[in-house]
Amino acid sequence: MTVPPPDLRIASSPQAGRRTARQSAATASRIETRPRARRTELAAFLRSRRERITPADVGLPPGLRRRTPGLRREEVAQLAGVGVTWYTWLEQGRPINVSVQVLDAISRTLGLDPVEHEHLYRLADVPELTETGGCRSLEPETQLILDQLDPIPAAVYNARYDLLAWNDTFEWMFPNLTTQPLVTRNALWQLFTGRDCCNPVVNWEEEMPQMVATLRAGFGRHLGEPAWTDFVRRLSAASPEFARMWATHDVARPGNRMKIFRHSAAGLIRTVSTSMTLAAPPETRMAVYTPADDESRERIAWLRANREAPVPDHVH
C-alpha cells in the first residue's frame, strides 16, 4: 500500500482539518483587527485635531448653540473641499478609501505640522513613507560608540522607549532604570509609575507630554500589534497622568531639547538631549545628554569619581 506523504496524511485527518480551520479563522481575525484598530485611531486623531481649532482660527463666525469645542465636521469638510458625508464616515472610522489629495486637503485645514501629517498618512494606511526593515539586534559598534562618549551619558532606545543599551555615566545617573528587569526597563514606565521622591525629571510639564507624543507617533506604525497595545493599556491603567496625556493624540518626533534631571547625590544636572537615528534595528535611536553648563559638567564628573561617596557641600 502506498503511504501518502506526511503533509497529505495531516490534511486528510478530520482533527487536522478542524485545526486548520481554526488557525485560518484566527489568522483572519488578526488580519482584520489591525485595519480596524487603525481606523479607530484615525477617527480619534481627526476628532482631537478638529476640536483644537476655533472658528476664529479659520475666519468663521462663532455661531450660536455650538456644542463642539472646535470646528464642526461640516465646517472641516467645507474648508477641505470634501463631502460632508464622506468626511463624517472618515471620522467615524468607516472602511473607506482615502486619496493623497484628500488627506493633504484635510491636513492643511486642520493645520497639521509635519509630524502630524506623517501620522495621518500612516493611520489612513497611505504609503507616503517607506517602512524600514532589517535586523532586530544592535550593531556591535553601537556599544563601542556609547562607551567612547563617556563621560557624556548616552543610551539607545526603541520607539517604545525600551532601554536597549547605555554607557557607564548613564547608568550612574539613572540606576533606577538600568537595574530594572527587561520587562520594565522602559523609560516611560519608570517615569510614570515611579515614586515622586525618586523621579529624576525636573522639567516634567515640558518633557513628559513630548515623550508621550513621540510614543503616539510610534504607536501609529504598530497599530494592532499586541506588544504595543498591551504596553499602552497597562501604562494607562497604572498612571492616570499618562492616560490623560495619551488621550490628547499629540504626536512628535524625537528631537534636540533641554532636559533637566535631579540626581539623589549629585543634585541638579542640566543637559541638552540630542537624538540620532540608528541604521539598525529599525526605529532605534541614540540619545546623548550633553551637559548644558559648567556646573552640570562638574556634577557629572563628581558622580563618575565618587559613585559611592556622599556628595560634598560645594557640589550642591
Side-chain angles (χ1 to χ4, degrees):
M1 183 176 78
T2 303
V3 179
D7 56 337
L8 294 182
R9 290 202 303 271
I10 293 173
S12 62
S13 165
Q15 290 181 343
R18 287 193 292 271
R19 283 197 301 270
T20 302
R22 286 197 298 268
Q23 291 168 353
S24 299
T27 300
S29 176
R30 286 194 298 271
I31 292 173
E32 172 60 23
T33 297
R34 182 170 295 186
R36 187 165 58 244
R38 195 181 297 275
R39 292 194 298 269
T40 300
E41 184 77 6
L42 173 62
F45 178 67
L46 286 173
R47 186 166 56 252
S48 70
R49 301 303 92 170
R50 171 172 60 83
E51 290 176 349
R52 73 179 180 179
I53 302 175
T54 66
D57 292 335
V58 292
L60 294 176
L64 300 176
R65 298 179 181 177
R66 180 174 290 273
R67 291 177 294 180
T68 177
L71 294 179
R72 299 186 178 102
R73 286 174 177 169
E74 55 267 27
E75 291 170 337
V76 173
Q78 178 185 356
L79 292 168
V82 301
V84 175
T85 300
W86 188 94
Y87 179 80
T88 299
W89 286 352
L90 184 65
E91 197 173 293
Q92 288 175 343
R94 298 199 186 189
I96 58 177
N97 294 325
V98 193
S99 69
V100 170
Q101 293 77 11
V102 168
L103 283 180
D104 286 345
I106 292 174
S107 178
R108 287 192 298 270
T109 300
L110 297 178
L112 302 187
D113 64 26
V115 184
E116 293 171 326
H117 181 82
E118 176 185 334
H119 189 61
L120 175 66
Y121 266 72
R122 292 190 186 280
L123 296 182
D125 202 22
V126 173
E128 181 195 40
L129 300 175
T130 302
E131 293 289 344
T132 57
C135 65
R136 296 292 177 182
S137 59
L138 289 172
E139 298 287 351
E141 294 79 13
T142 301
Q143 186 63 54
L144 178 62
I145 295 171
L146 290 171
D147 294 338
Q148 290 295 318
L149 285 169
D150 256 333
I152 298 175
V156 174
Y157 301 95
N158 62 16
R160 204 169 52 228
Y161 281 96
D162 295 323
L163 180 64
L164 306 180
W166 57 90
N167 61 17
D168 287 344
T169 305
F170 182 92
E171 181 175 6
W172 299 337
M173 280 185 62
F174 307 106
N176 291 338
L177 175 58
T178 59
T179 57
Q180 291 294 320
L182 188 62
V183 68
T184 55
R185 195 182 300 154
N186 178 281
L188 282 171
W189 183 270
Q190 293 304 317
L191 289 172
F192 277 106
T193 65
R195 294 179 297 170
D196 292 342
C197 66
C198 306
N199 199 304
V201 176
V202 175
N203 56 333
W204 179 274
E205 295 300 327
E206 297 81 22
E207 179 58 23
M208 299 315 297
Q210 184 75 14
M211 291 180 68
V212 174
T214 303
L215 178 74
R216 170 68 80 170
F219 184 79
R221 299 188 291 271
H222 297 273
L223 287 175
E225 295 183 16
W228 279 79
T229 302
D230 181 64
F231 175 76
V232 171
R233 178 188 58 78
R234 290 188 296 110
L235 188 50
S236 296
S239 171
E241 190 164 13
F242 170 80
R244 176 182 61 80
M245 294 182 189
W246 184 254
T248 65
H249 286 267
D250 290 339
V251 290
R253 287 194 186 99
N256 302 352
R257 57 185 184 270
M258 176 71 72
K259 292 192 177 185
I260 306 173
F261 304 106
R262 184 179 300 280
H263 189 272
S264 58
L268 203 67
I269 298 176
R270 297 177 177 85
T271 70
V272 175
S273 171
T274 304
S275 182
M276 296 173 284
T277 301
L278 300 181
E283 299 183 63
T284 54
R285 61 185 182 274
M286 182 177 294
V288 181
Y289 304 91
T290 307
D293 50 49
D294 291 339
E295 185 177 40
S296 298
R297 190 172 293 106
E298 178 186 355
R299 291 169 188 261
I300 291 177
W302 177 91
L303 184 62
R304 285 178 52 82
N306 304 273
R307 186 180 176 190
E308 304 297 336
V311 64
D313 292 340
H314 78 277
V315 177
H316 283 299

